[in-house]
Amino acid sequence: MAGGRGSEDILHELRRRGYRWTRPRQAVARVLAGAHDWLTPEEVHARARRQWPRLGLVSVYRTLGLLADLGFARRVHLEDGCHGYALSSLEHGHYLICRRCQQVLEFPGCDLQPLLRRVARRTGFVIQQHMLELIGVCPECQAAVGIEE
Amino acid sequence: MAGGRGSEDILHELRRRGYRWTRPRQAVARVLAGAHDWLTPEEVHARARRQWPRLGLVSVYRTLGLLADLGFARRVHLEDGCHGYALSSLEHGHYLICRRCQQVLEFPGCDLQPLLRRVARRTGFVIQQHMLELIGVCPECQAAVGIEE
DNA sequence: GTACTTGCAAATAATTTGCAAATAT
DNA sequence: ATATTTGCAAATTATTTGCAAGTAC
């Protein structure tokens, strides 16, 4: 929904909506904005603490939930269910996830419209949202696998 | 991977692989085969107990995990992360989920190949799997909403 | 008979809530 | 000033593990 490339964008949107721009929220937003992999709440907590040591894990959960609700972050679901968060930086995009290094790449536009229309027509469903995630191995890890393992 | 329309198919595949066809597994497989909505492990447990009252929740978790590994069941991920299971009845399909009644419809083929190829070329990723879920409202619930709410 | 599987209880992990103190505006 | 937000501790929920007893083959 909202396109945020950095924490300034988040700041403005939060303010606009009447939320306060607090140190804990800043710390979480910066961590997410600076990461190019997905992070569990626990990992966000660990990193954000370097900026704001008294940050509690609970606030991380709350902030991540808030950012997800506002469209700044997306939950990342893996096959085994446990999930993390990554910053949502594009209008409408989906994730490409490296299963080795957890890098997350967002890619725009998804050409799913014809498929969605066909399924809707065949089933009678009104389709409201969709979730698409691609899982694979990034170029760096492809190279690394040959060496390490 | 394996196409199972009923619990007999599961039986044969488990046997073939050296697993035993036990009452707890039968009960879980039948529940999943008979459901046309997704179920949490807790719900599977409640239903399967009607067939095998001494069934433990732990065995439900174990059996669901096994069925998922063998390709008979798929995990269903919702936006908020908590997940359930549904029987996987087609070679390669994806889920269409009704957010009101939890009905799950599987639809075949997904025409994602061109997209996958394009993304792979642009990013250098080797794409190994993908997850696609469509979320909406089924025809029955569309009608019901007008009446109830 | 034997190896696999189960169920229980307990451990662990993940997430949420109540509430007084802190703080952004 | 005051309504929002925080952090802690505790509660809740979800899932996994160790192990003796049970069961399919």
Side-chain angles (χ1 to χ4, degrees), chain B residues 39-144:
Chain B
L39 302 170
T40 61
E42 202 72 65
E43 288 168 327
V44 172
H45 184 225
R47 295 191 193 185
R49 266 193 147 165
R50 304 206 276 254
Q51 294 175 54
W52 191 244
R54 68 167 98 157
L55 176 70
L57 179 58
V58 180
S59 298
V60 173
Y61 272 99
R62 287 190 276 226
T63 303
L64 289 173
L66 177 63
L67 294 179
D69 288 349
L70 297 183
F72 283 112
R74 290 221 189 102
R75 276 173 251 262
V76 174
H77 301 250
L78 285 313
E79 250 317 294
D80 63 352
C82 190
H83 59 271
Y85 292 80
L87 198 72
S88 168
S89 57
L90 300 166
E91 274 306 303
H92 177 75
H94 292 288
Y95 285 139
L96 180 53
I97 301 167
C98 176
R99 59 154 35 118
R100 190 169 168 283
C101 71
Q102 298 199 345
Q103 178 187 171
V104 172
L105 218 65
E106 211 173 3
F107 61 92
C110 61
D111 291 358
L112 247 35
Q113 297 319 316
L115 170 68
L116 298 185
R117 243 177 282 119
R118 199 168 40 211
V119 172
R121 199 178 51 239
R122 270 199 281 182
T123 61
F125 267 66
V126 172
I127 298 178
Q128 299 170 325
Q129 24 165 304
H130 59 269
M131 227 174 98
L132 172 64
E133 282 179 14
L134 310 185
I135 296 131
V137 182
C138 73
E140 297 79 45
C141 288
Q142 287 167 43

Side-chain angles (χ1 to χ4, degrees), chain A residues 72-140:
Chain A
F72 283 111
R74 291 220 189 102
R75 275 172 251 264
V76 174
H77 301 251
L78 287 312
E79 251 316 294
D80 63 350
C82 191
H83 57 271
Y85 291 80
L87 198 71
S88 169
S89 58
L90 300 166
E91 274 306 303
H92 178 74
H94 292 287
Y95 285 138
L96 180 53
I97 300 167
C98 176
R99 60 156 33 119
R100 190 168 169 283
C101 71
Q102 298 198 345
Q103 176 186 173
V104 171
L105 218 65
E106 211 172 4
F107 60 92
C110 59
D111 290 0
L112 247 37
Q113 297 319 315
L115 169 69
L116 298 185
R117 244 179 280 119
R118 198 168 38 207
V119 172
R121 198 176 54 238
R122 271 199 279 183
T123 61
F125 267 66
V126 172
I127 298 178
Q128 299 170 325
Q129 22 166 307
H130 58 268
M131 229 174 96
L132 173 64
E133 282 180 13
L134 310 185
I135 295 131
V137 181
C138 74
E140 296 81 44

